[in-house]
Amino acid sequence: MTNNNKQVTARHWPRIVRQVCAAIALSLAGVVTGSSAYANDFEALPALTVAEAGKRVLLDITRAGGRLVAVGERGVVLYSDTGGDTWQQAVVPHSNTLTSVTFIDAQNGWAAGHGGIILHSGDGGQTWHKQFDGNQANRQWLNFIQQRRDSLAETIEELDDSQQAERDDLEYRLDDAEYALEDAALALQTGPVDPFLDIWFGDAKNGVAVGAYGMIYRTEDGGENWVIAAAGIENPDRYHYYDVDADRSGRLYLSGEAGLMYRSLDGGRQWQRLGPFYDGSLFGVVTRGEEVMAYGLRGHIFKSVDGGTRWQSLPAAPFSLYGGTRLADGTVILVGAGGGYLLGPEGAPFTSKLHPSRSSFSSVSGDGSGRVVAVGMNGAAALPQGEASE
C-alpha cells in the first residue's frame, strides 16, 4: 500500500499497543468477513451488553466530576461512581471501537474512535448519541483535496517560463494531489476505516479530534458541526496524530508519529511544527502549568518549560509509554507496556513502578478522591494506593 510516493509501513499505535485495535479494525473493515458493507452494518448496530465489561479491552479513561468513564472495543463505554470497584455499561448507539474520551464537566463528554465516529453524552456518560462519522469525514476530505488540486493547477497556469523550478515543484505536488484525489474518491465507495485517536475540548463549544493518516477536525459549536482543519497544519506524508493537550496559558500541543509535535495558539485553527527533537512516535502529551511533556516509543520522555520552543530529554522508562494524566496535586502519571508506569510528583523526578498484573496500560485517570485507575489490555485496574493522590 502506498500513500502518494511514500511507502506506508506498519506503524506504532498508541494507547494499549494499537496492534489489538488494528486487528479489530481490519476485522470490522471486512478483511476477515470479506465485506466492508458487513462491517458498516455491524458498526451501525448498538453496542452489545457484555459480561464482566470491566475486563474488556479498554483504550481510554477520564474523569467526569467524581465519576470515571472508560471506552474500548466494540463500542463499550463504562462508568463507575465507586472509583473503579464496580462498573456499569452505558447505552451506546454504535459498535465502533472507541479510542478516546473526554469530559469538560460532570455531564458533558465526547468519545471518538474507529470509522471516524464521534459521540456525545450530556448525562455523565450514561447515554450517547452520534455527532459525526467517517462518511462525513470522507466527503470533507474529498472536497479539501479537490480544492487543493484545483488551486495548484491554477497557480501553475499563472507561472511564466522564468519560473521553471517553481513550476516543476508545483507539478510534482499536483501529481500527489491527483493520486490523493483518487484515493479520496475510492474511500467514499469503500466506506470509513480510519480511526480517530484522540479528542479534546477546551470548553463546551471548542474541540479538536485527531487521528490516523493526518485526520484533524474542529468544532466551535459543541460538536454539532465538525469541519476539516487540515489546511492549518503541515503534514504532507499524512503521518498519524496521537494526542492533544493544552497548557495553563491555553496553548495546544499535538503529538504524533515520526516525532511530530505541533503547537497552536488559536485553539487548533493553525499549527506550528516544533522541533524536530525525536524521530520516533510520540504517543502522548501531558501538561502541568506551563510545563509540557511528550512521551512514547521505547519510554522516551521530553520536556519543555518555554512553550515548546526548546526540549530536553528526560531519563527514559524501561518500557514504551502509551498514556498519561496530571492529577490535581500536580503529580504526572505515565502508563505503558507490561504494567509499567511512572510517577512524577511536581518538582521531583519520575520513579518507575510495575503493576502486579503485568498488563499493558493505555490510559490512566484519577477519580478526584485519591484513587487512580488505569485501563488497558485486560480492562480496568486500580494503581496501588499510596503511590499517588489527587
Side-chain angles (χ1 to χ4, degrees), residues 3-22:
N3 175 27
N4 295 338
N5 296 320
K6 177 177 69 68
Q7 181 72 25
V8 177
T9 60
R11 298 178 174 179
H12 301 281
W13 291 71
R15 291 200 172 130
I16 197 90
V17 198
R18 295 286 183 184
Q19 291 92 326
V20 173
C21 300

Side-chain angles (χ1 to χ4, degrees), residues 218-280:
R218 293 188 65 253
T219 181
E220 296 179 349
D221 57 11
E224 293 300 319
N225 294 280
W226 288 90
V227 179
I228 192 169
I233 190 167
E234 285 295 320
N235 182 9
D237 294 317
R238 296 186 66 192
Y239 286 122
H240 303 332
Y241 301 132
Y242 288 140
D243 199 24
V244 180
D245 198 9
D247 68 14
R248 184 168 54 196
S249 297
R251 292 175 292 227
L252 283 182
Y253 299 90
L254 168 60
S255 68
E257 184 183 18
L260 290 185
M261 176 59 69
Y262 300 90
R263 177 182 60 205
S264 175
L265 305 179
D266 59 4
R269 297 175 184 83
Q270 298 291 324
W271 296 86
Q272 174 192 1
R273 176 76 191 272
L274 303 177
F277 51 86
Y278 178 55
D279 59 5

Side-chain angles (χ1 to χ4, degrees), residues 80-160:
S80 174
D81 296 318
T82 59
D85 285 338
T86 58
W87 295 90
Q88 298 183 66
Q89 187 172 350
V91 177
V92 181
H94 293 269
S95 296
N96 306 67
T97 287
L98 298 170
T99 60
S100 180
V101 62
T102 187
F103 275 75
I104 60 164
D105 54 36
Q107 299 299 316
N108 291 288
W110 291 261
H114 287 192
I117 198 165
I118 297 176
L119 306 175
H120 174 257
S121 173
D123 59 5
Q126 296 180 63
T127 59
W128 298 79
H129 71 272
K130 185 180 75 171
Q131 287 188 330
F132 189 73
D133 64 26
N135 291 309
Q136 295 164 280
N138 283 344
R139 286 192 291 270
Q140 290 195 32
W141 176 248
L142 178 65
N143 291 336
F144 174 78
I145 293 298
Q146 178 79 59
Q147 292 172 14
R148 173 179 285 181
R149 188 201 65 172
D150 293 347
S151 177
L152 286 169
E154 182 178 339
T155 301
I156 291 171
E157 285 294 323
E158 294 173 351
L159 296 178
D160 57 38

